[in-house]
Amino acid sequence: MENKAFKDEKIKSIEKALDLLELLSDNEEMGITEISKELHMGVSTVHRILTTLKFRGYIIQNPKTSKYSLGINLFVLGGKVQSAINLVELVNPFLQKLSQYTNEGINFAILEGREAVCLSRIESSEVLRTDIKIGARLPAHCTAVGKVLLAFLPEQEFTILYGKDNKKLYTPTPSSISSVKELKECLRKVKRDGYAIDKEEFKIGINCLGAPIINKEGRSIASISVTGPSSRFTLSEMKKLRNTLINISKDISCRLNRINRT
C-alpha cells in the first residue's frame, strides 16, 4: 500500500505525463485515441499533455500519420545522465586512492541549482563516520564540496541563484554562512586558494575539505571532498591534507580535459 504522505504529495498531471511517456517508449508511434484507451484518460487530457510535451521537444508528431513518438529532448536528457555516469567512472580510481590515503569519507558531487548533489561516495572504515549517502542534496553555501562548485561560477549565474548581497541564507548550524555578502567574500578566498573548508557549517560534529574539478573553460564542473568527524578530522588535519587533495583534483581535471580533447 502507498504511503499516505507520498500519495498526497504526488501531482496527478505530472504522473499522467510520465505514464504517457512510458507508454510511448514501448511503442513506435501512437495516436491520441490509442493513448486515451491505453491509459484510460480523456481524449482532451491526452491532447493537452501531448501539446505541452511536443512544444518542449519531448515528443514529436508524424505529419503524415498525425501519430506521436518520443522526441530528441529525451535523448538529450539521457545523454546528460550518461555523461554523469561516465564522469563517476573516471573519478572513482582517484577517489579510491584518496580513501586509502585518508581513511575518511570521500565524496564526489556536482552542482544543481543551489545544491551539491553527491554522485559517488566512499565510506570510512572507522566506527565513527559521517552519514552522507549517494544522491544526497546538500546546501552548497555551507559545505566544502558545494563552495568549490560555487566559487568558479560566472557572476551572472551566481546572482541568478542567490540574488542580492543582503539576502539571508539558510543556517543549519551557528557556524553557517548567513548572507550572500558573506558567501561572496568566502568564495573569493576559495577561488584564490583552490580549496574550501566546512568547519561544522552544515552539521555539528562534521568537518569537510573540498577541491574543484576544473574544465578547460576554467569552470568547476564537479568537486571532491574529504569528510570526517570534527573530533578526528580537525582543522589541523585538514590543513595537512589540502595540498594532497588539490593535487588529486588537478589530476582528475587534467585527465578529464585530455579525454574531452580527443
Side-chain angles (χ1 to χ4, degrees), residues 10 47-48 56 59 62 71 88 92 111 115 148 157 173 176 179 192 204 223 237 239 253 258:
K10 291 190 298 184
H47 183 263
R48 286 197 302 271
R56 296 296 296 268
I59 62 167
N62 187 326
V88 169
N92 268 340
L111 186 68
E115 295 176 317
V148 290
E157 288 186 32
T173 80
S176 304
S179 71
R192 184 192 69 213
I204 297 294
S223 59
E237 291 299 316
K239 287 181 177 178
S253 301
R258 280 200 303 269

Short mmCIF file of all heavy atoms in Angstrom, two decimals, residues 10 47-48 56 59 62 71 88 92 111 115 148 157 173 176 179 192 204 223 237 239 253 258:
data_model
loop_
_atom_site.label_atom_id
_atom_site.label_comp_id
_atom_site.label_asym_id
_atom_site.label_seq_id
_atom_site.Cartn_x
_atom_site.Cartn_y
_atom_site.Cartn_z
N LYS A 10 1.97 13.61 -4.52
CA LYS A 10 2.05 13.37 -5.95
C LYS A 10 1.19 14.37 -6.72
O LYS A 10 0.10 14.74 -6.30
CB LYS A 10 1.60 11.95 -6.28
CG LYS A 10 2.57 10.87 -5.80
CD LYS A 10 2.22 9.51 -6.35
CE LYS A 10 0.86 9.04 -5.90
NZ LYS A 10 0.57 7.68 -6.37
N HIS A 47 -4.69 15.16 -25.21
CA HIS A 47 -4.32 16.19 -26.18
C HIS A 47 -3.54 17.32 -25.51
O HIS A 47 -2.53 17.81 -26.06
CB HIS A 47 -5.58 16.75 -26.86
CG HIS A 47 -5.28 17.78 -27.92
ND1 HIS A 47 -5.32 19.13 -27.66
CD2 HIS A 47 -4.90 17.64 -29.21
CE1 HIS A 47 -4.99 19.78 -28.75
NE2 HIS A 47 -4.74 18.91 -29.71
N ARG A 48 -3.98 17.75 -24.33
CA ARG A 48 -3.28 18.82 -23.61
C ARG A 48 -1.85 18.41 -23.24
O ARG A 48 -0.91 19.19 -23.39
CB ARG A 48 -4.05 19.21 -22.34
CG ARG A 48 -5.32 20.02 -22.60
CD ARG A 48 -5.79 20.72 -21.33
NE ARG A 48 -6.03 19.76 -20.26
CZ ARG A 48 -7.20 19.16 -20.05
NH1 ARG A 48 -8.22 19.39 -20.87
NH2 ARG A 48 -7.36 18.32 -19.05
N ARG A 56 7.75 21.33 -25.85
CA ARG A 56 9.04 21.25 -25.14
C ARG A 56 10.03 20.31 -25.81
O ARG A 56 11.17 20.18 -25.35
CB ARG A 56 8.81 20.81 -23.69
CG ARG A 56 8.00 21.79 -22.84
CD ARG A 56 8.74 23.11 -22.66
NE ARG A 56 9.96 22.93 -21.92
CZ ARG A 56 10.08 23.03 -20.60
NH1 ARG A 56 8.99 23.35 -19.89
NH2 ARG A 56 11.22 22.84 -20.00
N ILE A 59 8.26 15.04 -27.26
CA ILE A 59 7.64 14.13 -28.22
C ILE A 59 7.57 14.85 -29.57
O ILE A 59 7.67 16.07 -29.64
CB ILE A 59 6.22 13.67 -27.81
CG1 ILE A 59 5.27 14.86 -27.73
CG2 ILE A 59 6.23 12.87 -26.52
CD1 ILE A 59 3.83 14.46 -27.64
N ASN A 62 4.25 12.83 -36.25
CA ASN A 62 4.45 12.48 -37.65
C ASN A 62 3.42 13.25 -38.49
O ASN A 62 2.21 13.06 -38.33
CB ASN A 62 4.27 10.98 -37.84
CG ASN A 62 4.62 10.53 -39.24
OD1 ASN A 62 4.40 11.24 -40.21
ND2 ASN A 62 5.16 9.32 -39.35
N GLY A 71 10.56 12.34 -28.50
CA GLY A 71 11.35 13.37 -29.16
C GLY A 71 12.80 13.40 -28.72
O GLY A 71 13.23 12.68 -27.81
N VAL A 88 31.62 9.69 -13.16
CA VAL A 88 31.83 8.92 -11.93
C VAL A 88 32.84 7.81 -12.16
O VAL A 88 33.74 7.57 -11.34
CB VAL A 88 30.49 8.34 -11.42
CG1 VAL A 88 30.73 7.33 -10.30
CG2 VAL A 88 29.58 9.46 -10.92
N ASN A 92 36.42 7.57 -10.02
CA ASN A 92 36.43 6.57 -8.94
C ASN A 92 37.82 6.07 -8.56
O ASN A 92 38.10 5.90 -7.36
CB ASN A 92 35.50 5.41 -9.28
CG ASN A 92 34.10 5.62 -8.72
OD1 ASN A 92 33.90 6.43 -7.81
ND2 ASN A 92 33.12 4.92 -9.27
N LEU A 111 26.95 20.41 -9.08
CA LEU A 111 26.03 21.47 -8.64
C LEU A 111 24.72 21.39 -9.42
O LEU A 111 24.71 21.31 -10.65
CB LEU A 111 26.68 22.83 -8.87
CG LEU A 111 25.92 24.05 -8.32
CD1 LEU A 111 25.91 24.04 -6.80
CD2 LEU A 111 26.55 25.34 -8.85
N GLU A 115 22.26 23.47 -4.76
CA GLU A 115 22.59 22.26 -4.01
C GLU A 115 23.76 21.51 -4.65
O GLU A 115 23.89 21.47 -5.87
CB GLU A 115 21.38 21.32 -3.96
CG GLU A 115 20.20 21.89 -3.19
CD GLU A 115 18.99 20.98 -3.24
OE1 GLU A 115 18.69 20.44 -4.33
OE2 GLU A 115 18.35 20.80 -2.20
N VAL A 148 33.29 24.97 -3.42
CA VAL A 148 34.24 24.95 -4.55
C VAL A 148 33.52 24.85 -5.89
O VAL A 148 34.10 25.15 -6.94
CB VAL A 148 35.27 23.80 -4.40
CG1 VAL A 148 36.23 24.08 -3.27
CG2 VAL A 148 34.60 22.45 -4.21
N GLU A 157 25.55 34.04 -13.25
CA GLU A 157 24.89 32.81 -12.82
C GLU A 157 24.74 32.76 -11.31
O GLU A 157 23.73 32.31 -10.78
CB GLU A 157 25.67 31.59 -13.33
CG GLU A 157 25.56 31.37 -14.82
CD GLU A 157 26.20 30.09 -15.26
OE1 GLU A 157 26.19 29.10 -14.48
OE2 GLU A 157 26.74 30.04 -16.38
N THR A 173 23.65 25.46 11.17
CA THR A 173 24.42 25.50 12.43
C THR A 173 24.83 26.94 12.70
O THR A 173 24.79 27.79 11.80
CB THR A 173 25.69 24.63 12.37
OG1 THR A 173 26.73 25.34 11.67
CG2 THR A 173 25.43 23.29 11.69
N SER A 176 27.32 28.43 10.16
CA SER A 176 26.97 28.55 8.75
C SER A 176 27.07 29.99 8.24
O SER A 176 26.79 30.94 8.98
CB SER A 176 25.54 28.07 8.52
OG SER A 176 25.36 26.75 8.97
N SER A 179 24.64 35.10 4.95
CA SER A 179 24.19 36.09 3.97
C SER A 179 24.94 35.90 2.65
O SER A 179 26.04 35.32 2.62
CB SER A 179 24.40 37.51 4.47
OG SER A 179 25.78 37.83 4.47
N ARG A 192 40.72 31.74 -4.89
CA ARG A 192 42.14 32.09 -4.82
C ARG A 192 42.98 30.92 -4.30
O ARG A 192 44.04 30.60 -4.86
CB ARG A 192 42.32 33.31 -3.90
CG ARG A 192 43.76 33.83 -3.82
CD ARG A 192 43.89 34.81 -2.68
NE ARG A 192 43.77 34.15 -1.38
CZ ARG A 192 43.24 34.71 -0.31
NH1 ARG A 192 42.72 35.92 -0.38
NH2 ARG A 192 43.20 34.05 0.84
N ILE A 204 26.79 19.93 12.99
CA ILE A 204 27.64 19.95 14.17
C ILE A 204 28.37 18.61 14.29
O ILE A 204 27.76 17.54 14.18
CB ILE A 204 26.81 20.19 15.46
CG1 ILE A 204 26.13 21.57 15.41
CG2 ILE A 204 27.69 20.07 16.70
CD1 ILE A 204 27.09 22.73 15.44
N SER A 223 33.19 18.41 -7.94
CA SER A 223 34.11 18.61 -6.82
C SER A 223 34.30 17.32 -6.04
O SER A 223 33.46 16.41 -6.10
CB SER A 223 33.57 19.71 -5.89
OG SER A 223 32.29 19.36 -5.39
N GLU A 237 44.33 18.70 10.76
CA GLU A 237 44.39 17.57 9.81
C GLU A 237 43.97 18.02 8.42
O GLU A 237 44.55 17.57 7.41
CB GLU A 237 43.49 16.43 10.29
CG GLU A 237 43.98 15.71 11.53
CD GLU A 237 45.34 15.07 11.33
OE1 GLU A 237 45.55 14.45 10.27
OE2 GLU A 237 46.19 15.20 12.22
N LYS A 239 44.37 20.98 7.12
CA LYS A 239 45.46 21.77 6.54
C LYS A 239 46.60 20.87 6.05
O LYS A 239 47.21 21.15 5.02
CB LYS A 239 45.98 22.77 7.58
CG LYS A 239 45.02 23.93 7.82
CD LYS A 239 45.58 24.92 8.83
CE LYS A 239 44.63 26.10 9.00
NZ LYS A 239 45.13 27.08 10.02
N SER A 253 41.16 16.77 -13.16
CA SER A 253 40.86 17.82 -14.14
C SER A 253 41.66 17.61 -15.43
O SER A 253 41.12 17.71 -16.53
CB SER A 253 41.17 19.20 -13.56
OG SER A 253 40.41 19.45 -12.40
N ARG A 258 41.93 16.02 -21.07
CA ARG A 258 42.58 15.24 -22.14
C ARG A 258 41.55 14.41 -22.91
O ARG A 258 41.57 14.33 -24.14
CB ARG A 258 43.67 14.33 -21.56
CG ARG A 258 44.97 15.02 -21.27
CD ARG A 258 46.12 14.03 -21.16
NE ARG A 258 45.88 13.01 -20.15
CZ ARG A 258 46.25 13.13 -18.88
NH1 ARG A 258 46.86 14.23 -18.46
NH2 ARG A 258 46.00 12.16 -18.01
#
